[in-house]
């Protein structure tokens, strides 16, 4: 009996256990391993292997950990398990031989395990010459791809050539091409061999295009690498040739020699010398193209730019320094005296050190100038530098929240740089300059650190002789620097920082001082700034006082200068318009005269002369109150802005703010309702407590001394208010003012005119000391007060107030509240 060949589809069962494929579909005619990890799929493999060893491989439409029949495509591939290897993690590795395409006809079990009835699909053969041509094309194109792609092994090439069936060739190529799994599934579902081959050929062309682009990119990269290597070797050869000829080799060698010469002149010792030598050795071994080379060169640049050598002894005349301060600033007598005393001590100490100490230069100083805005704190600092003949460097720390701004960033950070102190020394190139640190009261803290804490080392004479910047990371002596810091208030400066400074208060200016400052400094400066000459503008004393009192009543003179600038800009505009108008008239007159033949030269001369006189008249301005109001508008501060107590229940007090002294009105009234007191005007906690004390003291005195009935308090509700309700107010110094207002209300009597007061009140009726008497006196003078009541404990502060400020004001020192009442509400 002869052997009979049985077709494959007759050997395949109509029922298959299905294994879900997550990666990509597997085509018929392939021998390949598959890793199975899902427990349900492992069971399918075990069951199939114990039987006929046949399974169905179908790709998932959507990735899921627990697939069912609905998650699978309908067309897959039947496969025979050739070998099974159990894995330690419970999974299996199987080697399969794929046989034929099938379609799922019916679901027998939807999941765990998936079992389906299937029908096997026959390929639609087409033995035309077109199919033969496609077969050759596929093999030829794949040979080209395999030659340029190392991922295609020699075994793949041989398998492709040995396959004799066109459909299997298309399946094999589709399985090894880098195609999306959905596209591969579409190819698997194409039964017509010619169409399948055409589709595969399209993907081959796409792969060839990708390879062409990849090859182009690879070529460009290789060219860049080759150029870089070529340049490097050429530079090395050039360096060797220059060395042989004794020429300077490169910029690196030039930098190295420059650094070496500079560092040798500094004569470093100890840690500084050791660190610099190490950095120089590293620098000499680095390649110029490396990133570390630039970092090290920048670091050495900073070291080389700093003034390491000791400065020359200070040489300045105290008389000259005093003359410079007098020339630069009007008034501020107490401030100038203290600065001159400070300079005298500095000079005396410097002389002593020069004679008997190794350090032959004066140590630095730390001065804090405190005052309202616009009183000249920054200009005083510049004058000190000029008086000492020192370099001046200023920087502001207002709003600063990062301590690295003071002490620098560590060199490990990209873009690191030294702090402001080292930067300033690098700029001035001297070890004993005058440094001004502006707005020290406006620093803040954040997660970056606290700059105020960083300043503790900078401003401490016991520590700053070895100040260590984070970037420099070397001890640098900044003890010779004369530090001047400025602030508007001391309240926000940390006490440890405040303890390191000598405090000098700069009070505000009164109107007569502003008048002199305007004449000597502000007017000439503003005229020059706006292109005007002295002969263009003339101010009277009354007009300048009008600006001071009606437009710039604050403590400083900054707004005064702004108002002068505003006037001068408008005058400059008028002058230019007048000159242009005059020029146009001259041109018209010239044209007119040229048309007349009766001595035209004389007519031209006469006309030009007349127009010149008219122009000169237009260039002169006499500034009076009327012209000021024309250019500046209606006055900001009017005469009725003078705060007065003209009704019972009112009194005028004095307050201190960061902007200088100020006056405040206390208002009290009563309502015929239930007993009590209401406080308004945005008072702080301390001021509210002072108001309660004032109420207790006033009520006791009203009943016991002035005969006010107790029933009056039971039937009246008192409301006390401080105007300008949006402005926060706090402090105890308004105690006697509030008590006076309350007693004025209770007695129905008006407080004495042109009288202001300040002082804390105790429950026993004592008047306790306050601060800022000088600033408060200036505010009282601006308010045109004639009498000031103040605590007797503050009599010593009267000596600090200039005579011209006290002139015309009578001061009443009191110890008890009864004395206040005798002056404010006399019987």
């Amino acid at each position: 009996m002869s052997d009979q060949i049985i077709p494959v589809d007759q050997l395949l069962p109509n029922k298959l256990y299905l294994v879900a494929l997550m990666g990509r579909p597997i085509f018929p005619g392939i021998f390949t391993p598959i890793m199975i990890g899902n427990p349900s799929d492992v069971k399918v493999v075990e069951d199939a292997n114990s039987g006929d060893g046949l399974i169905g491989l179908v790709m998932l439409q959507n990735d899921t950990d627990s697939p069912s029949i609905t998650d699978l495509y309908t067309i897959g591939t039947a496969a025979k398990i050739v070998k099974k290897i159990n894995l330690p993690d419970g999974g299996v590795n199987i080697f399969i031989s794929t046989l034929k395409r099938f379609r799922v006809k019916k679901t027998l079990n939807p999941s765990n395990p998936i079992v389906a009835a299937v029908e096997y699909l026959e390929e639609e053969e087409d033995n035309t010459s077109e199919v033969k041509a496609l077969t050759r094309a596929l093999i030829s194109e794949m040979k080209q791809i395999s030659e340029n792609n190392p991922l295609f092994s020699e075994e793949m090439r041989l398998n492709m050539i040995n396959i004799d069936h066109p459909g299997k060739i298309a399946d094999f190529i589709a399985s090894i091409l880098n195609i999306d799994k959905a596209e591969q599934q579409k190819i698997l579902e194409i039964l017509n061999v010619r169409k399948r081959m055409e589709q595969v050929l399209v993907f081959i062309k796409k792969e060839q295009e990708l390879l062409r682009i990849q090859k182009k990119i690879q070529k460009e990269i290789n060219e860049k690498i080759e150029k870089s290597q070529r340049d490097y070797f050429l530079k090395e050869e050039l360096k060797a040739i220059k060395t042989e000829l004794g020429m300077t080799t490169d910029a690196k060698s030039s930098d190295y020699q420059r650094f070496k010469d500079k560092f040798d002149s500094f004569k470093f010792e100890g840690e500084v010398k050791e660190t610099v030598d190490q950095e120089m050795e590293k620098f000499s071994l680095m390649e110029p193209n490396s990133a570390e080379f630039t970092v090290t060169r920048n670091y050495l640049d900073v070291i080389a730019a700093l003034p390491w050598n000791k400065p020359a002894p200070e040489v300045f005349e105290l008389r000259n320094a005093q003359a410079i301060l007098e020339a630069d600033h009007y008034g501020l007598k107490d401030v100038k005296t203290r600065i001159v005393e400070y300079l005298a001590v500095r000079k005396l100490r410097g002389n002593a050190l020069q004679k008997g100490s190794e350090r032959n230069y004066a140590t630095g100083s730390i001065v804090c100038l405190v005052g309202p805005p616009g009183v000249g704190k920054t200009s005083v600092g510049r004058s000190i530098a000029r008086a000492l003949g020192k370099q001046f460097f200023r920087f502001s720390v207002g709003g600063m929240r990062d301590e690295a701004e003071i002490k620098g960033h560590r060199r490990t950070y990209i873009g690191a740089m030294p702090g402001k102190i080292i930067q300033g020394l690098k700029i001035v190139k001297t070890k004993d300059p005058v440094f001004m640190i502006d707005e020290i009261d406006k620093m803040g803290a954040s997660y970056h650190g606290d700059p105020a804490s960083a300043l503790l080392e900078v401003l401490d004479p016991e520590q700053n002789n070895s100040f260590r910047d984070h970037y420099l990371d070397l001890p640098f002596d900044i003890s010779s620097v004369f530090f001047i810091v400025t602030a508007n208030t001391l309240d926000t400066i940390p006490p440890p920082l405040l303890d390191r400074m000598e405090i000098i208060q700069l009070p505000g200016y009164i109107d007569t001082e502003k008048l002199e400052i305007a004449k000597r400094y502000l007017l000439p400066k503003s005229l020059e700034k706006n292109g005007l000459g002295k002969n263009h503008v003339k101010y009277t004393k009354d007009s300048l006082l009008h600006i001071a009192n009606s437009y710039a009543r604050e403590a400083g003179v900054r707004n005064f200068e702004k108002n002068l600038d505003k006037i001068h800009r408008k005058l400059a505009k008028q002058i230019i318009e007048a000159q242009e108008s005059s020029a146009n008239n001259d041109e018209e007159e010239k044209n007119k005269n040229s048309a007349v033949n009766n001595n035209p030269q004389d007519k031209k001369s006469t006309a030009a002369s007349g127009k010149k006189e008219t122009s000169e008249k237009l260039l002169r301005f006499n500034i009076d109150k009327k012209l000021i109001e024309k250019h500046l508008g209606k006055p900001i501060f009017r005469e009725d802005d003078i705060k007065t107590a003209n009704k019972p229940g009112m009194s005028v007090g004095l307050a201190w703010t960061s902007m200088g002294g100020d006056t405040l009105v206390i208002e009290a009234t009563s309502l015929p309702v239930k007993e009590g007191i209401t406080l308004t005007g945005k008072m702080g906690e301390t001021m509210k407590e002072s108001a309660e004390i004032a109420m207790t003291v006033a009520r006791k005195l009203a009943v016991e001394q002035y005969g006010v009935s107790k029933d009056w308090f039971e039937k009246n509700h008192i409301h006390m208010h401080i105007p300008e309700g949006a402005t926060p107010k706090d402090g105890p110094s308004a105690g006697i003012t509030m008590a006076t207002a309350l007693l004025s209300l209770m007695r129905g009597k008006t407080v004495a005119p042109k009288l202001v007061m300040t002082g804390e009140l105790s429950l026993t009726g004592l008047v306790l000391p306050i601060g800022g008497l000088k600033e408060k006196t200036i505010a009282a003078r601006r308010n045109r007060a004639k009498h000031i009541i103040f605590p007797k404990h503050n009599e010593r502060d009267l000596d600090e107030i200039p005579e011209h400020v006290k002139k015309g004001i009578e001061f009443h020192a009191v110890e008890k509240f009864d004395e206040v009442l005798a002056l404010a509400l006399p019987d």
Side-chain angles (χ1 to χ4, degrees), residues 183-198:
E183 298 292 342
Q184 283 188 324
Q185 178 67 29
K186 287 180 182 178
I187 293 173
L188 180 68
E189 293 176 1
I190 298 174
L191 300 179
N192 187 283
V193 173
R194 183 179 60 79
K195 289 182 179 179
R196 191 191 310 162
M197 295 177 78
E198 288 174 350

Side-chain angles (χ1 to χ4, degrees), residues 614-664:
T614 304
S615 179
E616 288 298 325
K617 287 179 182 178
L618 290 169
L619 293 176
R620 292 188 181 92
F621 296 91
N622 291 318
I623 307 298
D624 55 15
K625 289 184 180 181
K626 186 177 179 182
L627 198 57
I628 287 170
E629 292 186 10
K630 177 185 175 184
H631 293 313
L632 298 182
K634 293 295 181 184
I636 298 171
F637 305 100
R638 303 184 304 275
E639 290 298 323
D640 55 6
D641 286 336
I642 300 297
K643 295 171 183 174
T644 58
N646 51 15
K647 294 178 183 177
M650 296 179 68
S651 61
V652 182
L654 297 172
W656 182 92
T657 70
S658 61
M659 305 291 284
D662 198 2
T663 52
L664 53 85

